[in-house]
Every structure is written in C-alpha cells, then in structure tokens.
Amino acid sequence: MARAFAEIAFTPAVRKQQGHNGSRHYADLLSDDRHGGDRLGDAERFFVEDRDGFYQATVSETGWPYVQFRGGARGFLRVIDERTIAYADLRGNRQYISVGNLDGNDRVCLILMDYPNARRLKIWGRAVTFESDVIDADGADGQAERIVVIHIEAFDWNCPRHIPRRYTAEEAETEMAVLRQKNAALQAEATELRRRLAQGASV
Ligand SMILES: Cc1cc2nc3c(=O)[nH]c(=O)nc-3n(C[C@H](O)[C@H](O)[C@H](O)COP(=O)(O)O)c2cc1C
C-alpha cells in the first residue's frame, strides 16, 4: 500500500505542481509501496493522548474549508484503537459550524501541535458524531454535547522546521519553579557571603 496520506493528498493537481516545482522524485518516494501510515503506532498513540487541543478542518456543503480549534483537558482526545480516535465536543459558542459541516461531508483533517518539542502530526479521517446531553466531560471545563469519533484514513508527521517553541502557562510554570528554586539558593548563598564579608572573614 502506498503511504496513505499521499494517496489522499497527492491529487492530480498536486502532482502537477510537484512536477512543476521539481519535487516529483521526493513525492514518488512517499507514494511507493514501502510505507503504511494509516495505523497509529505507540509514538502516535502517546502523542495524540498527550494533547490538550488540536486544529480541526471540515468542509462545508458549499465547498469552503473551515478550521476550528478544539480544546479540553489534556488527554481529552483519546485513541480507541489503531485506526480510531475520539473526543468529547464541549459546548462552545453555539454556532455548530463544524458539526453542521460534518452532516454533509464526514471528512476531517486535524493538526496536532506539540510546540515545546516542535512536533506536529496531521491526521486525515472520517468523523461520526454521537449526540448526548449527559456525557461526562471527564474533568474538562464545560458540558460535552457530543462525542466525535474519527476513523483514521491517514496520518503524517511533519518536519519540525519553522515550528515556534511555545509553552503553555502550565508548562512555563514547571520551568519557572526550577529557576525560582535555583534563584532562592543563590540568594541565600549571596546573603551568607555578604554576612561573612561584613564580619571580615575570608570568603
Ligand atoms: C462559553 C464558551 C465556551 C467555550 N468552550 C470551549 C471549550 O471548552 N473548548 C473549545 O475548544 N472551545 C470552546 N469554545 C470556543 C468555541 O465556541 C468552540 O470551539 C466551538 O465548539 C466552535 O465550534 P464551531 O466553530 O465548529 O461552530 C467556547 C466558546 C464559548 C463562547
């Protein structure tokens, strides 16, 4: 089987552009039959379940792409099996654009970002929604209105180039705690040295 994402993304128009821009050989390497790319392995499973948000693209019935951020408590995006992921869709601004789009076209494309480690995973799939007003949002803020189950057709790890290093307030706090501890130790040492100097002692 060819690399699954290439089967989906390398349309005739895309292939034409690859030829035009001199990357046909590289594209051929991704399209030959040495690869898979439609079943999540351990690396993908860990990465998916460690996210606290992702970007989800849907397609409207008028053909417009639509991208929206989906967020929740870390781990709200779950791996059900090697070809299925799911998340609780929380009540938001009540526009229902993504879920309305899914009624007409079940295709989704997700981008999952890990900014501190400059990693990025793209997932293509088909989504099914299960409405409910009693689903437990599992610690996430807000009420879950539905479960979105995505049957994976392809995924692809992107190269890290140009991914900015960003930290959430929570991640930055972990780093800051270490720095605060070091700073406190240095301040205590400086105070002690000043005290000894004031007493005329040799430091
Ligand atoms: C009160 C309120 C709460 C929201 N809570 C969330 C949330 O928990 N997670 C999230 O990703 N977006 C949240 N949002 C942002 C968007 O409303 C949410 O992503 C929404 O589902 C957008 O869907 P749509 O663009 O597909 O219509 C919230 C917005 C509002 C106004």
Side-chain angles (χ1 to χ4, degrees):
M1 193 189 65
R3 185 139 188 106
F5 92 89
E7 280 186 341
I8 293 174
F10 293 179
T11 61
V14 171
R15 296 289 287 178
K16 198 168 156 193
Q17 279 291 342
Q18 290 165 348
H20 182 69
N21 290 286
S23 64
R24 185 179 290 273
H25 177 65
Y26 167 66
D28 286 346
L29 288 176
L30 294 168
S31 309
D32 72 16
D33 59 5
R34 285 176 302 166
H35 306 284
D38 63 353
R39 281 160 208 277
L40 304 179
D42 287 344
E44 289 80 24
R45 176 183 292 267
F46 179 79
F47 188 82
V48 166
E49 296 199 326
D50 200 36
R51 304 276 60 80
D52 58 3
F54 58 91
Y55 302 92
Q56 173 184 266
T58 53
V59 186
S60 81
E61 58 195 317
T62 50
W64 284 98
Y66 178 72
V67 181
Q68 179 58 279
F69 181 78
R70 284 290 184 274
R74 192 174 295 276
F76 82 112
L77 181 60
R78 304 247 176 102
V79 175
I80 309 300
D81 62 38
E82 61 183 6
R83 294 201 68 179
T84 315
I85 57 176
Y87 66 94
D89 200 17
L90 306 179
R91 174 166 292 176
N93 59 10
R94 317 297 305 275
Q95 293 185 17
Y96 301 108
I97 301 173
S98 302
V99 73
N101 286 348
L102 291 176
D103 282 344
N105 188 331
D106 64 359
R107 290 178 177 88
V108 291
C109 189
L110 314 182
I111 289 196
L112 281 56
M113 299 298 304
D114 172 2
Y115 288 107
N117 296 301
R119 292 189 302 166
R120 174 173 52 191
L121 181 66
K122 280 189 286 196
I123 296 176
W124 287 258
R126 292 180 182 269
V128 185
T129 59
F130 297 93
E131 298 293 324
S132 175
D133 53 8
V134 293
I135 293 168
D136 178 7
D138 201 14
D141 285 341
Q143 185 188 353
E145 292 188 316
R146 69 193 59 75
I147 292 287
V148 180
V149 177
I150 298 170
H151 299 289
I152 294 173
E153 299 219 350
F155 67 82
D156 183 44
W157 288 96
N158 272 178
C159 97
R161 199 174 305 168
H162 303 308
I163 297 178
R165 293 288 175 91
R166 290 192 183 123
Y167 294 85
T168 62
E170 193 184 59
E171 287 159 347
E173 182 51 39
T174 310
E175 303 285 322
M176 289 296 289
V178 175
L179 291 177
R180 266 197 292 269
Q181 221 170 7
K182 280 186 184 163
N183 191 39
L186 285 171
Q187 275 187 354
E189 194 181 335
T191 304
E192 172 61 15
L193 290 173
R194 267 191 235 107
R195 189 187 64 78
R196 285 197 209 168
L197 273 176
Q199 289 176 348
S202 148
V203 293

